[in-house]
Amino acid sequence: MTDQADLTDRTDRTDRTDRTDRTDLADLTDAADRADDAADLADLAVVGAGPAGLAAAVAAAGLGLRVTVLDAGDRPGGQFYRHPAPGLGAARPEALHHDWAAFANREAALRAHESAGRITCLAGHHVWTVVADPASAPPAARGAARTGEPAARSTAWTLHAVTGDEGAAATVRARAVLIATGAYERQLPFPGWTLPGVVGAGGAQAMLKAGLVLPGKRIVVAGSGPLLLAVAGSLAAAGATVPAVVEASAYTAYAGRAAVLLRNPAKLVEGATYGSALLRHRVRLLTRHAVTEVHGTDRVEAVTVTRLDRDWRPLPAAARRIPCDAVAVGHGLVPQLELATGLGCATRRGPDGTVALDLAADGRTSVPGIWSAGETGGIGGAALAITEGEIAAHAIAGRPVPAPLTRRRSRLRAFADAMAAAHRPGPGWTGWLRDDAVVCRCEEVPAGRIREAADDLGARDARTVKLLTRAGMGWCQGRMCGPAVAALAGEAPAPDRRPLSCPVPLRHLAELPAADG
């Protein structure tokens, strides 16, 4: 009995030793794998190289981080600092931009950090998802994941991107991610807006900055927001005739924000510059008016401009017709949030009615390891985006945020909120939509069909309207028509949540590792 017990005890000790050796070997293998991966693991991945992303990347590199910048464009600058195509031979591209020096200095710093190996720039990369990277989790967390037990959050992220014209796949791994994806234009439809010659206000400016072309010779600029003044001034300076800037809001809405305006003298000077440009080019400013219809057969020939009440309801007795061959229209901007909301980042309702990320003062989202800066946290312009990018870089690097940056952000954010509230669309704008007016351009869904879904079929939200009418199911996935569909359904626009932020070839999904799928 004793001999048998001794044999059993020795066998148990041997088994335990073997298991310990195997565990140590697994941990050593994990450590080796992590060491191999470390060389490919950036400290920070920045998605977007507009004002916020560019500022964050340069500041983070200056603080000692290894940074990878991914941007869909060919050059940094984003939508705000667009560049003319090289073949156009533009001698002074800075003439088309406000505060070009702020961009030029940071682009030079970006290139210097790139040459030194502190920044890797990946142009033409459309990031379509960001996922937690289980390969970087500690061994205990991976073991828990294998046994089905709760695991700690991974310490790194994998970014999947589509690159180039052929749609090749690319991945980037980083310890932290800063989302600086900017915004796109908010469009409120009206009869005739599908005619050739109707473009977004920002689109008209992009045509001028990137292509040195105008959408027409006689252009009415319409919508709401301070972008209209900048667009009108640029178009007029480039040789277009701008008979009117048609602003749906009234600038008297700023009257109750005098303290905020006085804290931002540079913004007042900027506004005065735009105003003087309109006077110099004899551009008429019509406040509390809207383009309520576009006329023409094959392209724009004229617009009907109608006076609005305080809630943006059209007053038909106060309509006029303005001849033109193009319309540049936009009602502000909408934060581009697909990557962030796909990760579960919390959102908030902004003063302009759009959905923005709910961020801490240093740019932290509600998801650990994910940061954001710029228009994703609420529309505020390039100066605020640059400031927020630099603040986030300090926080990500674990450095104290300089007090001047904090004060500047507070001041500029207060101005942005005042601006957003002043130009928020009123609820009565749907009054200019006839039933035959197209709302969803991709699927050619008219307003009458959406109203029928809401009034007769019981749809009370944009998702149900989509299921009943296909509004929002087209190529743009509701970016253009989403706010209008929600308004006609009696719902406030909801956070845009989707697993893919841009079109992705199916082969990329099939090639994903099981952990990412």
Side-chain angles (χ1 to χ4, degrees), residues 35-129:
D36 291 339
D37 290 343
D40 298 326
L41 186 65
D43 295 316
L44 173 64
V46 177
V47 184
L54 181 60
V58 169
L63 293 169
L65 301 186
R66 290 193 305 124
V67 182
T68 298
V69 180
L70 304 94
D71 190 74
D74 295 329
R75 292 183 60 184
Q79 300 292 335
F80 191 83
Y81 293 111
R82 279 179 175 267
H83 304 271
L88 295 175
R92 295 178 59 247
E94 64 274 13
L96 300 172
H97 296 82
H98 173 72
D99 198 10
W100 177 262
F103 164 73
N105 293 338
R106 287 176 175 82
E107 186 187 31
L110 179 80
R111 299 308 179 194
H113 285 305
E114 189 177 18
S115 297
R118 291 183 289 268
I119 292 181
T120 300
C121 292
L122 301 177
H125 280 60
H126 300 253
V127 178
W128 56 269
T129 194

Side-chain angles (χ1 to χ4, degrees), residues 8-9 17 21 31 33 67 79 99 126 128 166 178 198 227 243 252 269 282-283 360 391 393 414 436 447 483 492 500:
T8 301
D9 184 57
T17 301
D21 290 343
D33 289 342
V67 182
Q79 300 292 335
D99 198 10
H126 300 253
W128 56 269
E166 297 181 359
L178 184 134
V198 179
L227 175 63
T252 54
V269 171
R282 299 182 180 179
V283 177
I391 287 174
D436 62 348
L500 313 177

